[in-house]
Amino acid sequence: MHANRPLIQTLLAATAALASSIAFAHPKLVSSTPADKAEVAAPQKIELQFSESLVTQFSGANLVMTGMPGMADHAPMKMAVKVSGSDDPKTMVITPTQPLPPGSYRVDWRAVSSDTHPVNGKIAFTVK
């Protein structure tokens, strides 16, 4: 029985390592409203749904207007927003402080889950 002790210890160590790597997976963007590359009426809020619960104090987003109809040389302009969590800890809510005018937009997001490693990404949409 003692001959199996090193094997059992190795299996326990491998199981613990696998469990910790699963627990420390990075959050991934699962979906967004509006959807990436969508053309929509001005949304009152933008929701990003992630694969894991977020640590809201370390997660966030910026909304940037990247184009305006009739203005070919429109410089990117950061829009004022409020970023918050929701009842679902996997959802980030971005609420513009004013109605969004027609144009193209990009959401630059940063998501942090329990592993504390930030993951960054972006989605884009057009307001018609």
Side-chain angles (χ1 to χ4, degrees), residues 21-113:
S21 69
I22 291 170
F24 293 119
H26 298 310
K28 292 176 180 53
L29 182 65
V30 175
S31 65
S32 65
T33 304
D36 190 28
K37 299 179 181 58
E39 188 171 316
V40 298
Q44 292 184 356
K45 64 182 176 178
I46 301 153
E47 293 186 336
L48 305 179
Q49 185 82 22
F50 291 90
S51 59
E52 296 184 31
S53 295
L54 302 177
V55 178
T56 54
Q57 64 265 36
F58 300 122
S59 301
N62 289 311
L63 177 62
V64 179
M65 184 180 208
T66 57
M68 182 177 272
M71 294 183 68
D73 295 331
H74 183 274
M77 181 173 61
K78 188 174 175 183
M79 308 299 287
V81 297
K82 177 184 175 211
V83 180
S84 61
S86 80
D87 292 340
D88 176 0
K90 296 179 181 181
T91 301
M92 181 186 302
V93 180
I94 301 113
T95 307
T97 59
Q98 297 181 341
L100 298 178
S104 57
Y105 294 86
R106 183 184 72 233
V107 177
D108 297 320
W109 55 263
R110 171 186 166 102
V112 178
S113 65

Side-chain angles (χ1 to χ4, degrees), residues 6-29:
L7 175 61
I8 291 170
Q9 289 174 336
T10 301
L11 288 173
L12 288 174
T15 302
L18 180 60
S20 68
S21 69
I22 291 170
F24 293 119
H26 298 310
K28 292 176 180 53
L29 182 65

